[in-house]
Amino acid sequence: MDRLDNTIRPYAWGSPTAIPRLLGTEPTGEPQAEMWMGAHAGAPSRTGRGTLAQVIDAAPEKELGPESVARFGPRLPFLLKLLAAGSPLSLQVHPDLDQAKDGYADEERRGVPVTAPHRNYRDANHKPELVCALTEFDGLCGFREPLRAAGLLEGLGVDSLKPYVDLLHAHPEEAALREVLTAILTADPEEMARTVAETAAACDRLGGDYAPYAGIAHHYPGDRGVVAAMLLNHVRLQPGEALFLGAGVPHAYLDGLAVEIMANSDNVLRCGLTPKHVDVPELLRIVRFEARDPGVLRPEAGPDGEEVYETPIDEFRLSRYVLPEAGTAHDLTLTTPQILLCTAGFVRAGEHELSPGASVFVPAGEKAEVTGTGTLFRATVVA
């Protein structure tokens, strides 16, 4: 069992206080957006044996188990994160596995550098993800019903939004959503900036259901993503609740602290709320234009106190243990690789004392007994 030393990514949207508060450290004054736990090449966790990527590369079957290697290859299939949003993340979607493979191969053939700012596909993997709230957590997830979106836009009383309202009324669901998002993303920049300014002022004046969009506009003045965001469901998670984001589902996280797990990928196509590259044709190819309920998940009780967040993905499985008694031991041994993350209290995992924010990697088949009083998240793969 290896204690992990993890990198904190200072993305501009990160909260300067949420992760330090959890870790019990002093804020640096800079944003601390994500703490990565895993073997992703961008920021692999460090162990006493080298980086976790080096440890796995040296003996993949020993560390991951033959079953995981046979199914997912000689790499850790998931990436676990602490995510602390102090301002909205970009409005975005992720490709499915076939789209990621094709897109990556195409950009490789065309010689687009992996680090190029206009590159869409950093790897050939999909990026389904699950986000579980540790505090109240605001986000946008999936399209609203077109008529509900039309009502929200119409209620603002902004004349330049009327063409979008008409589009949402005039077509079947998929066509309506496709046409209005296309119109928003291809509108004249100066006209759109004026529309966003009027929209922001109206949201600020009306409050209520419009308050989240007023906040978004404050952070991204003039950004067409402010209008696009109003096509999506607003969700407020309570601690312990979660959202699953599959391929093609537009989403954005707005505020709060959460545990996030995803397939080991960094593929993001952006729709707005960002100064970064937006590839409109590729984005429109990837987005799934279907209205959906956000589908708030609550954990399902399993054996020995485990609470499981069920998803349709094999590359990761997230569960939680709320340990009420210090003297009770729980055997978490599995034939698959695990990362254990403490988020509250104090937990002993093997020889390691874990305070909030501390984590360990448990190789496949390694004895994993935990005791203590606190909350422990377990990340592994579906057996």
Side-chain angles (χ1 to χ4, degrees), residues 79-331:
L79 176 63
L80 184 67
K81 298 180 180 179
L82 280 175
L83 182 147
S87 60
L89 282 68
S90 60
L91 193 61
Q92 60 190 258
V93 296
H94 306 304
D96 65 27
L97 189 55
D98 288 339
Q99 290 165 341
K101 288 178 178 177
D102 291 346
Y104 180 79
D106 175 63
E107 289 184 318
E108 288 291 282
R109 279 194 301 270
R110 292 191 285 116
V112 181
V114 173
T115 56
H118 62 286
R119 175 106 183 197
N120 292 317
Y121 298 95
R122 310 288 177 182
D123 53 66
N125 200 15
H126 62 166
K127 193 188 176 188
E129 59 192 41
L130 176 75
V131 62
C132 178
L134 296 178
T135 64
E136 276 199 346
F137 191 88
D138 280 340
L140 305 173
C141 178
F143 286 111
R144 299 175 185 266
E145 294 287 342
L147 293 182
R148 288 183 55 232
L152 192 70
L153 292 174
E154 194 169 27
L156 290 167
V158 175
D159 289 344
S160 54
L161 291 176
K162 189 175 185 305
Y164 307 136
V165 173
D166 292 343
L167 285 172
L168 289 166
H169 278 287
H171 296 286
E173 177 182 289
E174 181 178 346
L177 293 170
R178 178 181 291 276
E179 289 197 26
V180 74
L181 184 61
T182 302
I184 291 168
L185 295 178
T186 57
D188 177 79
E190 290 186 7
E191 291 181 8
M192 178 54 71
R194 288 192 292 271
T195 295
V196 172
E198 292 181 48
T199 297
C203 288
D204 196 44
R205 182 181 69 254
L206 293 169
D209 289 344
Y210 294 100
Y213 307 99
I216 292 170
H218 170 75
H219 289 287
Y220 295 98
D223 192 303
R224 65 189 66 229
V226 173
V227 179
M230 299 185 73
L231 303 176
L232 307 187
N233 299 294
H234 173 247
V235 184
R236 173 164 292 169
L237 300 179
Q238 297 303 312
E241 294 180 333
L243 289 174
F244 172 72
L245 289 310
V249 177
H251 62 279
Y253 303 141
L254 305 181
D255 182 71
L257 179 66
V259 172
E260 186 182 32
I261 189 169
M262 62 196 64
N264 195 11
S265 172
D266 200 23
N267 284 325
V268 177
L269 288 102
R270 296 173 177 85
C271 314
L273 308 182
T274 179
K276 295 182 179 180
H277 176 63
V278 177
D279 183 335
V280 174
E282 185 66 8
L283 172 73
L284 295 174
R285 190 177 76 85
I286 298 302
V287 172
R288 293 185 178 175
F289 290 97
E290 55 187 29
R292 65 188 296 274
D293 184 276
V296 174
L297 296 175
R298 295 171 181 85
E300 299 183 12
D304 196 28
E306 185 180 28
E307 300 174 330
V308 182
Y309 293 91
E310 296 288 354
T311 72
I313 296 300
D314 289 343
E315 285 98 326
F316 61 74
R317 177 182 184 274
L318 185 71
S319 61
R320 181 181 70 169
Y321 289 84
V322 180
L323 306 174
E325 298 178 10
T328 303
H330 298 261
D331 185 358

